[in-house]
Amino acid sequence: MNDLDLITGLRPEMPLAGPDQLAHARGRVMAAVAAESRAARTARQILSSGSPAARPHPVSRPRRSLGARRSFRLATGAVVTAAAAATVLAGVGTFTGAGPAARQAGRPAGQHPVVINARTLADRVSTALSAARRNAVLYTRTSCACGITAVTREWDYGISTREQWLGSRGALNFDGSAEVSHGLRVRRFVDYTTRTWQKESSPAATYGAPPAFDSPRAIRALIASYPWPPQFGSMITTTLNGRKVVKITRRFVNWSPGYPLPLRTIGGFEIGEFPVSMPAATPKATSQTVWYDAATYLPVQEAQTASSGQNIVVSTYTWLPLTPANLAKVRTPAPVPAGFTQTQLPGH
Amino acid sequence: MRVSAAGLPVRADDAAIIEASCAEPDAFAGLFDRHAPLILRYIARRVGSSSADDLVAETFLAAFRRRQKYDTAHRDARPWLYGIATHLISQHRREESRQLRIRLAAGSASEPADPGHGDRVAADVTANAVRGVLTAALAGLPDAERDVLVLIAWEQLSYDEVARALGIPVGTVRSRLSRARSRVREALAGTDLSATFKEILSNE
């Protein structure tokens, strides 16, 4: 016998608890499990049925597939400057003030905010995005006062992308696509401003699996900042266009002008910063707010906002059911109008 | 439940349950049913039965929330659960200290089992005295050292498992354990029980 054995001898001997003794604890845990199961089932049902919750939202924001973004930039000659590292100041936790659309919608009478634990929210969002990655085409509409581009529309599924940039009057400036065919990821860029187009292909395998989401990182950044100030410990649901959502905001420092966000992904889809150079007078985005559907836990809107409160970029996310028609939106190559001249991509 | 090549049901390991629960949260019940009794006993030993029920629920709720970060290379989730529980216990140090004081008081107040036999009485008194000193020494340990000592001595975790549970290198586990044992020995050596203690050690 040694001193360690003596310490072991101090161990209070007690039998292992039976089911009755654990019933209360089990009930608490299983309640959380059941809540998440319901959320996951709801997300799957909505995504598979195309119910109203999956329909588009009348707002906007920025994104782009990595490969397409690079080539778009090359094709347009946009100046690429590395986005400065964004530093999460104190994570998330802005609960006041609704988004641009929500300000108009307001909260329905009699609806009270519900507090959701941030960690629970992050897990539910992750679960919902995992399901959406396999079962949905992501449609994004973004608005931004970014030079000649006022709106972008983008459809994503895996590493396939279709993207269109429109001017302030709705005219198509650029149309791009990246689809997978016979082991190749074929990208096509059609520039309506110069009446030229380019094509490029590379082995699809080099892209690997779609990356994990970034969207939950907004929440996880908050969680990583634990211990939180008390007001950061939970999220509050609010409404956006009459839909109940969970709103989460993180603040940044050192955004480089013109590039509100570094490359990120949502739902397994690569999303880049807005690809067009912004006017020099564009204020820096100092915060990013994402609204999550309180039923599906999928992101439905995102806004990048300057310290003045001005929205620099606003995007809406729509999760389209995986139907042949929706897949066609993402897998149809950008058409080349007659009379357009094929040119080489810069650097190719 | 998985089925073996021979068609026999195979008991899923913890990592498989956790992995499955990411897509199907209900699967997490399997992890609770498998390990909650063990974790409850661990917590009860440290902070008493009154808080153990809530803390075991908190432990598994935290595990459920973090399950997507679980490293499935570790097929046995017990160290992970012990780690979460230990972290929660650290937020209840006062209760743990109180629990140790209660044990200390109970030990010193306990009566010999059979007061009719002189040798037995003396042995019981000595044993109680040693237990009292050990309990006081345990209570006086730095929290980090007590965590390591208890996980090894009471829960029989290996050094590697303790390292995983507490998120520290194995070398740190060894050094903390070594320091904790030294403190315990010093506490005993500083009493008039040192001769008894040496005698105990000589019987190894």
Side-chain angles (χ1 to χ4, degrees), chain B:
Chain B
M1 181 175 287
R2 291 181 299 152
V3 176
S4 72
L8 299 172
V10 175
R11 190 173 188 250
D13 61 27
D14 296 342
I17 291 175
I18 293 168
E19 208 163 13
S21 73
C22 291
E24 296 296 337
D26 291 344
F28 195 79
L31 195 74
F32 182 94
D33 293 338
R34 184 177 293 178
H35 296 306
L38 199 65
I39 299 301
L40 177 69
R41 186 173 66 180
Y42 167 62
I43 294 170
R45 280 171 172 165
R46 295 198 60 174
V47 300
S49 299
S50 59
S51 303
D53 190 46
D54 280 338
L55 283 179
V56 77
E58 291 298 329
T59 298
F60 280 89
L61 283 169
F64 182 65
R65 288 191 295 260
R66 299 176 199 168
R67 69 192 188 285
Q68 288 175 332
K69 292 181 181 174
Y70 182 78
D71 181 357
T72 51
H74 298 298
R75 311 311 292 181
D76 181 358
R78 280 180 306 163
W80 180 56
L81 295 169
Y82 271 115
I84 296 171
T86 302
H87 175 72
L88 290 169
I89 288 169
S90 71
Q91 297 167 4
H92 293 74
R93 292 295 187 199
R94 282 185 183 176
E95 288 178 48
E96 185 179 27
S97 298
R98 178 173 165 273
Q99 195 63 26
L100 287 168
R101 285 199 303 274
I102 289 171
R103 267 180 230 149
L104 196 55
S108 59
S110 65
E111 294 295 324
D114 185 358
H117 301 276
D119 291 346
R120 192 76 155 274
V121 171
D124 285 343
V125 168
T126 302
N128 276 338
V130 170
R131 289 177 67 87
V133 171
L134 286 171
T135 302
L138 191 60
L141 288 176
D143 297 337
E145 292 176 17
R146 185 165 58 248
D147 287 342
V148 169
L149 185 57
V150 166
L151 285 171
I152 288 174
W154 287 9
E155 303 304 316
Q156 307 292 303
L157 265 59
S158 68
Y159 290 0
D160 284 344
E161 289 171 332
V162 173
R164 266 187 63 204
L166 302 180
I168 56 178
V170 173
T172 305
V173 172
R174 292 181 190 279
S175 60
R176 284 184 189 175
L177 180 65
S178 175
R179 282 198 297 272
R181 293 179 65 174
S182 295
R183 289 182 209 275
V184 169
R185 288 195 201 97
E186 285 168 14
L188 283 168
T191 69
D192 54 6
L193 295 166
S194 56
T196 305
F197 183 58
K198 283 175 187 170
E199 185 180 342
I200 291 170
L201 294 182
S202 69
N203 291 333
E204 282 186 49

